[in-house]
Amino acid sequence: MSLVLLWMAVSLATPSATVEPLTAPDFAKKVVAPHRGKVLLVNFWATWCEPCVAEMPGLAKAGKQAGVDLVTVSLDSAKNLEPVRSFLFKAGVTGSQFVASMTDPEQFINGIDASWDGTVPYTLVYDSNGMLVGRLRGMQDDAGMQRAIAAAKKTKR
Amino acid sequence: MTLTRLVLATAMAAVAATAHAEAKVGAAAPDFTLPAASDGKSVALKSLLKTNKAVAVLFIAVKCPYSNGYNERMAQLAKDYAAKGIAVVGINSNKTEPAADVAAHAKQHGFSFAVVKDEGNKVADLYGAQHTPEAFVVDAKGTLVYHGRIDENYEDAKKVASPDLRTALDSVVAGTPIKASETKAFGCSIKR
């Protein structure tokens, strides 16, 4: 009994990510709008993408240190969310996360950002007004991410 | 709009422009001569164009699951279109994947087409190739006529609904305009 209580206590105390499918038309409403008032990083990634996997723990850490929100959108299959959830947990990503739900990648890519060519990792930076102020293509080092966050924090309405 | 936002917007536009400033559909495709990963012999785009109706240039990888999802399809495509006068060239521009690995990968997957090693990713830069797989088609006049994906479904070849590269090549063979000359897909970023 005490072991069960201990497990429950640890489970409740350990933050984890929830993962749900996301269609492109829902992007603004489900991903961007809930984070207005704070700088937001939206990272597109996949478990099959080595640089994405390498980048994620640093991204999670940088976001937390800078006090900005991080939402990840995985391009893995939306049929099985467990590998995504499991990886995000290990990488220290918490909160409401997503897996792209699509039949044609091109429609999804253009539905998110027409200037995106589909390369991942890809990170969009939104200021506290929910305005898109940065596009980071490819893996970012800590300094690059910090610069993008700092620039987003400076924008004013 | 504050000055800060204007500067940011301008910077973003510049980044977007740079990303697409390389090879353009409708313009001359950059020429290249690169060593075959297997034996180091030169493979030249110009030479291939002299004897073919078009050349399909595929930026591919050894370790990218997204690119590897297309191995069988690329091998089959090369066989199907060789008889129609279209050559295929695979280019590996990943700095993390040496020529020996590239050659072994090509052999393992039965690629009948030349796979070349792009040291220093110079040709990837000329074409503006960003990920693998990424396809370009150059017609006999040396014009870039297609840029984009092989098709829309990397997971299941049997469920492909939009075989964009094949459709483009069919148009070249038929001498008709390519309807979808620019398409998009996901892929692993080329490691520069």
Side-chain angles (χ1 to χ4, degrees), chain B residues 46-66:
Chain B
K46 256 185 194 166
S47 305
L48 290 169
L49 289 174
K50 280 179 190 166
T51 51
N52 288 282
K53 286 178 186 163
V55 175
V57 179
L58 308 175
F59 286 86
I60 59 176
V62 170
K63 288 183 184 167
C64 167
Y66 215 93

Side-chain angles (χ1 to χ4, degrees), chain B residues 94-134:
Chain B
N94 282 328
K95 73 173 178 186
T96 49
E97 297 177 346
D101 293 1
V102 175
H105 176 266
K107 194 176 174 187
Q108 182 192 347
H109 295 287
F111 293 168
S112 58
F113 55 90
V115 180
V116 296
K117 184 64 201 172
D118 177 24
E119 294 290 355
N121 46 264
K122 287 176 187 149
V123 177
D125 288 350
L126 282 174
Y127 275 78
Q130 295 298 329
H131 53 250
T132 59
E134 189 169 341

